[in-house]
mmCIF file of all heavy atoms in Angstrom:
data_model
loop_
_atom_site.group_PDB
_atom_site.id
_atom_site.type_symbol
_atom_site.label_atom_id
_atom_site.label_comp_id
_atom_site.label_asym_id
_atom_site.label_seq_id
_atom_site.Cartn_x
_atom_site.Cartn_y
_atom_site.Cartn_z
ATOM 1 N N ALA A 1 -61.341 -28.310 12.891
ATOM 2 C CA ALA A 1 -61.777 -29.083 14.103
ATOM 3 C C ALA A 1 -61.527 -30.561 13.844
ATOM 4 O O ALA A 1 -61.691 -31.127 12.763
ATOM 5 C CB ALA A 1 -63.294 -28.894 14.298
ATOM 6 N N PHE A 2 -61.052 -31.208 14.993
ATOM 7 C CA PHE A 2 -60.790 -32.567 14.974
ATOM 8 C C PHE A 2 -60.995 -33.287 16.386
ATOM 9 O O PHE A 2 -61.182 -32.519 17.304
ATOM 10 C CB PHE A 2 -59.284 -32.863 14.539
ATOM 11 C CG PHE A 2 -58.340 -32.302 15.541
ATOM 12 C CD1 PHE A 2 -57.852 -32.978 16.535
ATOM 13 C CD2 PHE A 2 -57.862 -30.929 15.468
ATOM 14 C CE1 PHE A 2 -56.885 -32.540 17.487
ATOM 15 C CE2 PHE A 2 -56.937 -30.469 16.317
ATOM 16 C CZ PHE A 2 -56.490 -31.253 17.264
ATOM 17 N N SER A 3 -60.922 -34.553 16.345
ATOM 18 C CA SER A 3 -60.996 -35.315 17.630
ATOM 19 C C SER A 3 -59.868 -36.299 17.594
ATOM 20 O O SER A 3 -59.398 -36.680 16.580
ATOM 21 C CB SER A 3 -62.313 -36.108 17.672
ATOM 22 O OG SER A 3 -63.382 -35.324 17.879
ATOM 23 N N ILE A 4 -59.472 -36.527 18.846
ATOM 24 C CA ILE A 4 -58.318 -37.571 19.037
ATOM 25 C C ILE A 4 -58.915 -38.786 19.608
ATOM 26 O O ILE A 4 -59.704 -38.838 20.601
ATOM 27 C CB ILE A 4 -57.207 -37.005 19.936
ATOM 28 C CG1 ILE A 4 -56.678 -35.798 19.364
ATOM 29 C CG2 ILE A 4 -56.236 -38.057 20.353
ATOM 30 C CD1 ILE A 4 -55.685 -35.082 20.239
ATOM 31 N N GLU A 5 -58.756 -39.835 18.784
ATOM 32 C CA GLU A 5 -59.401 -41.154 19.163
ATOM 33 C C GLU A 5 -58.283 -42.214 18.851
ATOM 34 O O GLU A 5 -57.706 -42.273 17.847
ATOM 35 C CB GLU A 5 -60.583 -41.467 18.312
ATOM 36 C CG GLU A 5 -61.199 -42.739 18.557
ATOM 37 C CD GLU A 5 -62.451 -42.664 19.531
ATOM 38 O OE1 GLU A 5 -62.867 -41.533 19.801
ATOM 39 O OE2 GLU A 5 -62.985 -43.748 19.882
ATOM 40 N N ALA A 6 -58.051 -43.061 19.909
ATOM 41 C CA ALA A 6 -57.145 -44.139 19.703
ATOM 42 C C ALA A 6 -55.698 -43.618 19.379
ATOM 43 O O ALA A 6 -55.083 -44.241 18.450
ATOM 44 C CB ALA A 6 -57.554 -45.214 18.793
ATOM 45 N N GLY A 7 -55.336 -42.435 19.856
ATOM 46 C CA GLY A 7 -54.055 -41.807 19.581
ATOM 47 C C GLY A 7 -53.964 -41.223 18.250
ATOM 48 O O GLY A 7 -52.879 -40.672 17.817
ATOM 49 N N GLY A 8 -55.046 -41.223 17.390
ATOM 50 C CA GLY A 8 -55.068 -40.630 16.130
ATOM 51 C C GLY A 8 -55.853 -39.458 16.018
ATOM 52 O O GLY A 8 -56.803 -39.190 16.774
ATOM 53 N N ARG A 9 -55.441 -38.425 15.141
ATOM 54 C CA ARG A 9 -56.161 -37.217 14.969
ATOM 55 C C ARG A 9 -57.174 -37.335 13.810
ATOM 56 O O ARG A 9 -56.745 -37.571 12.700
ATOM 57 C CB ARG A 9 -55.244 -36.052 14.792
ATOM 58 C CG ARG A 9 -55.811 -34.764 14.638
ATOM 59 C CD ARG A 9 -54.574 -33.791 14.544
ATOM 60 N NE ARG A 9 -55.108 -32.744 13.640
ATOM 61 C CZ ARG A 9 -54.588 -31.540 13.635
ATOM 62 N NH1 ARG A 9 -53.552 -31.218 14.283
ATOM 63 N NH2 ARG A 9 -55.072 -30.612 12.792
ATOM 64 N N ILE A 10 -58.391 -37.241 13.993
ATOM 65 C CA ILE A 10 -59.474 -37.485 12.976
ATOM 66 C C ILE A 10 -60.168 -36.135 12.795
ATOM 67 O O ILE A 10 -60.797 -35.644 13.793
ATOM 68 C CB ILE A 10 -60.415 -38.544 13.339
ATOM 69 C CG1 ILE A 10 -59.679 -39.891 13.580
ATOM 70 C CG2 ILE A 10 -61.471 -38.705 12.360
ATOM 71 C CD1 ILE A 10 -60.403 -41.018 14.198
ATOM 72 N N ILE A 11 -60.102 -35.677 11.596
ATOM 73 C CA ILE A 11 -60.864 -34.339 11.353
ATOM 74 C C ILE A 11 -62.392 -34.525 11.425
ATOM 75 O O ILE A 11 -62.942 -35.546 11.041
ATOM 76 C CB ILE A 11 -60.473 -33.765 9.933
ATOM 77 C CG1 ILE A 11 -60.853 -34.737 8.826
ATOM 78 C CG2 ILE A 11 -58.987 -33.420 9.949
ATOM 79 C CD1 ILE A 11 -60.912 -34.036 7.417
ATOM 80 N N THR A 12 -63.053 -33.621 12.091
ATOM 81 C CA THR A 12 -64.438 -33.716 12.195
ATOM 82 C C THR A 12 -65.346 -32.591 11.635
ATOM 83 O O THR A 12 -66.480 -32.643 11.555
ATOM 84 C CB THR A 12 -64.861 -33.789 13.710
ATOM 85 O OG1 THR A 12 -64.447 -32.592 14.389
ATOM 86 C CG2 THR A 12 -64.402 -35.084 14.345
ATOM 87 N N TRP A 13 -64.471 -31.509 11.062
ATOM 88 C CA TRP A 13 -65.237 -30.413 10.542
ATOM 89 C C TRP A 13 -66.172 -30.663 9.415
ATOM 90 O O TRP A 13 -67.176 -29.978 9.240
ATOM 91 C CB TRP A 13 -64.231 -29.268 10.162
ATOM 92 C CG TRP A 13 -63.267 -29.569 9.094
ATOM 93 C CD1 TRP A 13 -61.956 -29.962 9.325
ATOM 94 C CD2 TRP A 13 -63.522 -29.479 7.790
ATOM 95 N NE1 TRP A 13 -61.328 -30.192 8.042
ATOM 96 C CE2 TRP A 13 -62.333 -29.900 7.089
ATOM 97 C CE3 TRP A 13 -64.493 -29.247 6.923
ATOM 98 C CZ2 TRP A 13 -62.091 -29.951 5.616
ATOM 99 C CZ3 TRP A 13 -64.442 -29.352 5.529
ATOM 100 C CH2 TRP A 13 -63.306 -29.612 4.945
ATOM 101 N N PRO A 14 -65.924 -31.691 8.493
ATOM 102 C CA PRO A 14 -66.836 -31.844 7.432
ATOM 103 C C PRO A 14 -68.265 -32.278 7.930
ATOM 104 O O PRO A 14 -69.218 -31.885 7.276
ATOM 105 C CB PRO A 14 -66.190 -32.980 6.672
ATOM 106 C CG PRO A 14 -64.798 -32.942 7.014
ATOM 107 C CD PRO A 14 -64.719 -32.533 8.383
ATOM 108 N N SER A 15 -68.365 -32.931 9.060
ATOM 109 C CA SER A 15 -69.671 -33.318 9.513
ATOM 110 C C SER A 15 -70.503 -32.125 9.851
ATOM 111 O O SER A 15 -71.842 -32.252 9.819
ATOM 112 C CB SER A 15 -69.634 -34.237 10.627
ATOM 113 O OG SER A 15 -69.069 -33.661 11.721
ATOM 114 N N TYR A 16 -70.036 -30.939 10.205
ATOM 115 C CA TYR A 16 -70.681 -29.822 10.520
ATOM 116 C C TYR A 16 -71.571 -29.212 9.400
ATOM 117 O O TYR A 16 -72.472 -28.549 9.539
ATOM 118 C CB TYR A 16 -69.844 -28.690 11.148
ATOM 119 C CG TYR A 16 -69.396 -28.996 12.495
ATOM 120 C CD1 TYR A 16 -68.245 -29.775 12.762
ATOM 121 C CD2 TYR A 16 -70.074 -28.519 13.635
ATOM 122 C CE1 TYR A 16 -67.874 -30.102 14.070
ATOM 123 C CE2 TYR A 16 -69.676 -28.818 14.900
ATOM 124 C CZ TYR A 16 -68.577 -29.653 15.070
ATOM 125 O OH TYR A 16 -68.132 -29.972 16.381
ATOM 126 N N PHE A 17 -71.132 -29.651 8.159
ATOM 127 C CA PHE A 17 -71.789 -29.032 6.909
ATOM 128 C C PHE A 17 -73.126 -29.841 6.650
ATOM 129 O O PHE A 17 -73.941 -29.344 5.896
ATOM 130 C CB PHE A 17 -70.878 -29.067 5.753
ATOM 131 C CG PHE A 17 -69.869 -27.967 5.825
ATOM 132 C CD1 PHE A 17 -68.574 -28.226 6.446
ATOM 133 C CD2 PHE A 17 -70.113 -26.705 5.340
ATOM 134 C CE1 PHE A 17 -67.718 -27.108 6.480
ATOM 135 C CE2 PHE A 17 -69.220 -25.679 5.458
ATOM 136 C CZ PHE A 17 -67.957 -25.897 6.031
ATOM 137 N N PHE A 18 -73.373 -31.009 7.226
ATOM 138 C CA PHE A 18 -74.580 -31.792 6.986
ATOM 139 C C PHE A 18 -75.769 -30.877 7.537
ATOM 140 O O PHE A 18 -76.885 -31.013 6.942
ATOM 141 C CB PHE A 18 -74.529 -33.091 7.677
ATOM 142 C CG PHE A 18 -73.597 -34.077 7.058
ATOM 143 C CD1 PHE A 18 -72.724 -34.782 7.877
ATOM 144 C CD2 PHE A 18 -73.546 -34.315 5.655
ATOM 145 C CE1 PHE A 18 -71.798 -35.693 7.235
ATOM 146 C CE2 PHE A 18 -72.592 -35.076 5.055
ATOM 147 C CZ PHE A 18 -71.805 -35.851 5.838
ATOM 148 N N LEU A 19 -75.647 -30.263 8.613
ATOM 149 C CA LEU A 19 -76.753 -29.377 9.213
ATOM 150 C C LEU A 19 -77.182 -28.315 8.313
ATOM 151 O O LEU A 19 -78.364 -28.181 7.945
ATOM 152 C CB LEU A 19 -76.450 -29.001 10.562
ATOM 153 C CG LEU A 19 -76.538 -29.957 11.709
ATOM 154 C CD1 LEU A 19 -75.363 -30.890 11.753
ATOM 155 C CD2 LEU A 19 -76.612 -29.316 13.058
ATOM 156 N N PRO A 20 -76.306 -27.433 7.899
ATOM 157 C CA PRO A 20 -76.825 -26.295 6.966
ATOM 158 C C PRO A 20 -77.364 -26.790 5.580
ATOM 159 O O PRO A 20 -78.338 -26.287 5.137
ATOM 160 C CB PRO A 20 -75.656 -25.468 6.760
ATOM 161 C CG PRO A 20 -74.441 -26.229 7.168
ATOM 162 C CD PRO A 20 -74.933 -27.243 8.220
ATOM 163 N N VAL A 21 -76.798 -27.949 5.058
ATOM 164 C CA VAL A 21 -77.377 -28.498 3.904
ATOM 165 C C VAL A 21 -78.702 -29.059 4.111
ATOM 166 O O VAL A 21 -79.663 -28.781 3.434
ATOM 167 C CB VAL A 21 -76.410 -29.595 3.385
ATOM 168 C CG1 VAL A 21 -77.086 -30.347 2.252
ATOM 169 C CG2 VAL A 21 -75.140 -29.037 2.883
ATOM 170 N N GLY A 22 -78.954 -29.758 5.179
ATOM 171 C CA GLY A 22 -80.339 -30.378 5.401
ATOM 172 C C GLY A 22 -81.339 -29.284 5.726
ATOM 173 O O GLY A 22 -82.387 -29.219 5.228
ATOM 174 N N PHE A 23 -81.022 -28.369 6.615
ATOM 175 C CA PHE A 23 -81.922 -27.342 6.968
ATOM 176 C C PHE A 23 -82.158 -26.362 5.822
ATOM 177 O O PHE A 23 -83.213 -25.833 5.539
ATOM 178 C CB PHE A 23 -81.508 -26.494 8.201
ATOM 179 C CG PHE A 23 -81.811 -27.152 9.482
ATOM 180 C CD1 PHE A 23 -80.790 -27.724 10.296
ATOM 181 C CD2 PHE A 23 -83.020 -27.498 9.982
ATOM 182 C CE1 PHE A 23 -81.038 -28.487 11.471
ATOM 183 C CE2 PHE A 23 -83.379 -28.091 11.056
ATOM 184 C CZ PHE A 23 -82.240 -28.605 11.864
ATOM 185 N N GLY A 24 -81.020 -26.077 5.024
ATOM 186 C CA GLY A 24 -81.258 -25.213 3.804
ATOM 187 C C GLY A 24 -82.121 -25.811 2.828
ATOM 188 O O GLY A 24 -83.021 -25.082 2.199
ATOM 189 N N LEU A 25 -81.960 -27.116 2.566
ATOM 190 C CA LEU A 25 -82.879 -27.639 1.618
ATOM 191 C C LEU A 25 -84.384 -27.762 2.101
ATOM 192 O O LEU A 25 -85.298 -27.531 1.318
ATOM 193 C CB LEU A 25 -82.413 -29.147 1.267
ATOM 194 C CG LEU A 25 -81.143 -29.158 0.371
ATOM 195 C CD1 LEU A 25 -80.683 -30.694 0.180
ATOM 196 C CD2 LEU A 25 -81.472 -28.561 -1.021
ATOM 197 N N MET A 26 -84.451 -27.951 3.416
ATOM 198 C CA MET A 26 -85.803 -27.959 4.033
ATOM 199 C C MET A 26 -86.438 -26.527 3.801
ATOM 200 O O MET A 26 -87.606 -26.435 3.549
ATOM 201 C CB MET A 26 -85.781 -28.388 5.427
ATOM 202 C CG MET A 26 -87.108 -28.456 6.038
ATOM 203 S SD MET A 26 -86.906 -29.143 7.750
ATOM 204 C CE MET A 26 -88.681 -29.225 8.214
ATOM 205 N N SER A 27 -85.705 -25.504 4.082
ATOM 206 C CA SER A 27 -86.139 -24.139 3.919
ATOM 207 C C SER A 27 -86.499 -24.043 2.480
ATOM 208 O O SER A 27 -87.499 -23.296 2.129
ATOM 209 C CB SER A 27 -85.056 -23.223 4.367
ATOM 210 O OG SER A 27 -85.555 -21.843 4.211
ATOM 211 N N LEU A 28 -85.724 -24.420 1.532
ATOM 212 C CA LEU A 28 -86.040 -24.204 0.200
ATOM 213 C C LEU A 28 -87.316 -24.843 -0.290
ATOM 214 O O LEU A 28 -88.178 -24.194 -0.959
ATOM 215 C CB LEU A 28 -84.906 -24.812 -0.770
ATOM 216 C CG LEU A 28 -84.938 -24.760 -2.246
ATOM 217 C CD1 LEU A 28 -84.956 -23.326 -2.746
ATOM 218 C CD2 LEU A 28 -83.849 -25.446 -2.810
ATOM 219 N N VAL A 29 -87.533 -26.012 0.154
ATOM 220 C CA VAL A 29 -88.805 -26.746 -0.118
ATOM 221 C C VAL A 29 -90.032 -25.993 0.481
ATOM 222 O O VAL A 29 -91.025 -25.721 -0.196
ATOM 223 C CB VAL A 29 -88.804 -28.151 0.304
ATOM 224 C CG1 VAL A 29 -90.176 -28.916 0.293
ATOM 225 C CG2 VAL A 29 -87.727 -29.021 -0.374
ATOM 226 N N ALA A 30 -89.845 -25.528 1.681
ATOM 227 C CA ALA A 30 -90.934 -24.802 2.463
ATOM 228 C C ALA A 30 -91.195 -23.509 1.697
ATOM 229 O O ALA A 30 -92.382 -23.123 1.585
ATOM 230 C CB ALA A 30 -90.654 -24.719 3.911
ATOM 231 N N ALA A 31 -90.169 -22.816 1.412
ATOM 232 C CA ALA A 31 -90.317 -21.460 0.684
ATOM 233 C C ALA A 31 -90.904 -21.725 -0.716
ATOM 234 O O ALA A 31 -91.854 -20.897 -1.018
ATOM 235 C CB ALA A 31 -88.858 -20.856 0.481
ATOM 236 N N TRP A 32 -90.566 -22.739 -1.408
ATOM 237 C CA TRP A 32 -91.172 -23.037 -2.624
ATOM 238 C C TRP A 32 -92.685 -23.325 -2.581
ATOM 239 O O TRP A 32 -93.466 -22.836 -3.356
ATOM 240 C CB TRP A 32 -90.439 -24.126 -3.319
ATOM 241 C CG TRP A 32 -91.003 -24.409 -4.764
ATOM 242 C CD1 TRP A 32 -91.643 -25.526 -5.122
ATOM 243 C CD2 TRP A 32 -91.109 -23.487 -5.797
ATOM 244 N NE1 TRP A 32 -92.064 -25.374 -6.423
ATOM 245 C CE2 TRP A 32 -91.722 -24.204 -6.976
ATOM 246 C CE3 TRP A 32 -90.455 -22.282 -6.079
ATOM 247 C CZ2 TRP A 32 -91.928 -23.537 -8.173
ATOM 248 C CZ3 TRP A 32 -90.729 -21.608 -7.285
ATOM 249 C CH2 TRP A 32 -91.347 -22.270 -8.401
ATOM 250 N N LYS A 33 -93.048 -24.066 -1.591
ATOM 251 C CA LYS A 33 -94.360 -24.359 -1.272
ATOM 252 C C LYS A 33 -95.209 -23.030 -0.971
ATOM 253 O O LYS A 33 -96.322 -22.951 -1.392
ATOM 254 C CB LYS A 33 -94.586 -25.379 -0.031
ATOM 255 C CG LYS A 33 -94.286 -26.752 -0.329
ATOM 256 C CD LYS A 33 -94.559 -27.468 0.829
ATOM 257 C CE LYS A 33 -94.331 -29.003 0.659
ATOM 258 N NZ LYS A 33 -94.396 -29.808 1.914
ATOM 259 N N THR A 34 -94.581 -22.174 -0.245
ATOM 260 C CA THR A 34 -95.201 -20.930 0.177
ATOM 261 C C THR A 34 -95.476 -20.100 -1.089
ATOM 262 O O THR A 34 -96.578 -19.519 -1.331
ATOM 263 C CB THR A 34 -94.324 -20.162 1.149
ATOM 264 O OG1 THR A 34 -94.119 -20.910 2.350
ATOM 265 C CG2 THR A 34 -94.962 -18.835 1.673
ATOM 266 N N ILE A 35 -94.391 -19.908 -1.922
ATOM 267 C CA ILE A 35 -94.551 -19.181 -3.132
ATOM 268 C C ILE A 35 -95.659 -19.768 -4.009
ATOM 269 O O ILE A 35 -96.557 -19.107 -4.588
ATOM 270 C CB ILE A 35 -93.262 -19.219 -3.954
ATOM 271 C CG1 ILE A 35 -92.162 -18.419 -3.159
ATOM 272 C CG2 ILE A 35 -93.400 -18.633 -5.322
ATOM 273 C CD1 ILE A 35 -90.725 -18.489 -3.628
ATOM 274 N N CYS A 36 -95.635 -21.032 -4.214
ATOM 275 C CA CYS A 36 -96.783 -21.655 -4.960
ATOM 276 C C CYS A 36 -98.160 -21.520 -4.436
ATOM 277 O O CYS A 36 -99.097 -21.339 -5.190
ATOM 278 C CB CYS A 36 -96.426 -23.177 -5.223
ATOM 279 S SG CYS A 36 -94.994 -23.444 -6.228
ATOM 280 N N MET A 37 -98.274 -21.426 -3.048
ATOM 281 C CA MET A 37 -99.559 -21.238 -2.479
ATOM 282 C C MET A 37 -100.102 -19.749 -2.727
ATOM 283 O O MET A 37 -101.207 -19.573 -3.054
ATOM 284 C CB MET A 37 -99.514 -21.425 -0.929
ATOM 285 C CG MET A 37 -99.548 -22.784 -0.461
ATOM 286 S SD MET A 37 -99.392 -22.855 1.296
ATOM 287 C CE MET A 37 -98.662 -24.438 1.587
ATOM 288 N N VAL A 38 -99.113 -18.879 -2.688
ATOM 289 C CA VAL A 38 -99.502 -17.489 -2.922
ATOM 290 C C VAL A 38 -99.858 -17.321 -4.373
ATOM 291 O O VAL A 38 -100.869 -16.570 -4.672
ATOM 292 C CB VAL A 38 -98.294 -16.496 -2.612
ATOM 293 C CG1 VAL A 38 -98.482 -15.102 -3.102
ATOM 294 C CG2 VAL A 38 -98.071 -16.486 -1.094
ATOM 295 N N LEU A 39 -99.180 -17.893 -5.334
ATOM 296 C CA LEU A 39 -99.583 -17.883 -6.712
ATOM 297 C C LEU A 39 -100.649 -18.806 -7.195
ATOM 298 O O LEU A 39 -101.081 -18.720 -8.315
ATOM 299 C CB LEU A 39 -98.223 -18.098 -7.574
ATOM 300 C CG LEU A 39 -97.090 -17.225 -7.364
ATOM 301 C CD1 LEU A 39 -95.889 -17.626 -8.149
ATOM 302 C CD2 LEU A 39 -97.455 -15.718 -7.767
ATOM 303 N N GLY A 40 -100.996 -19.706 -6.256
ATOM 304 C CA GLY A 40 -102.178 -20.562 -6.633
ATOM 305 C C GLY A 40 -101.724 -21.634 -7.639
ATOM 306 O O GLY A 40 -102.506 -22.062 -8.397
ATOM 307 N N LYS A 41 -100.417 -21.926 -7.715
ATOM 308 C CA LYS A 41 -99.946 -22.918 -8.690
ATOM 309 C C LYS A 41 -99.498 -24.223 -7.965
ATOM 310 O O LYS A 41 -99.233 -24.290 -6.754
ATOM 311 C CB LYS A 41 -98.659 -22.299 -9.419
ATOM 312 C CG LYS A 41 -98.794 -20.974 -10.067
ATOM 313 C CD LYS A 41 -99.604 -21.256 -11.291
ATOM 314 C CE LYS A 41 -99.574 -19.936 -12.176
ATOM 315 N NZ LYS A 41 -100.260 -19.948 -13.352
ATOM 316 N N GLU A 42 -99.424 -25.314 -8.831
ATOM 317 C CA GLU A 42 -98.904 -26.509 -8.339
ATOM 318 C C GLU A 42 -97.303 -26.415 -8.072
ATOM 319 O O GLU A 42 -96.661 -25.699 -8.811
ATOM 320 C CB GLU A 42 -99.112 -27.603 -9.327
ATOM 321 C CG GLU A 42 -100.565 -28.055 -9.507
ATOM 322 C CD GLU A 42 -101.133 -28.625 -8.141
ATOM 323 O OE1 GLU A 42 -100.479 -29.481 -7.565
ATOM 324 O OE2 GLU A 42 -102.254 -28.365 -7.862
#
């Protein structure tokens, strides 16, 4: 994936990976909190 701007071709596919990284890490934190709540640990 790319965009054409000012006559040049600029790749845009790397920016799509910020979303799964951000949401994945958020899920990891929430899952860890859930596990710790179940086990009664800090």
Side-chain angles (χ1 to χ4, degrees):
F2 65 91
S3 288
I4 296 178
E5 179 101 8
R9 185 175 146 162
I10 300 168
I11 61 166
T12 57
W13 62 261
S15 65
Y16 286 86
F17 285 93
F18 292 132
L19 281 78
V21 169
F23 282 112
L25 287 175
M26 185 176 182
S27 178
L28 177 65
V29 170
W32 182 247
K33 285 181 176 180
T34 304
I35 291 167
C36 290
M37 284 182 204
V38 168
L39 298 176
K41 302 283 187 182
E42 290 293 320

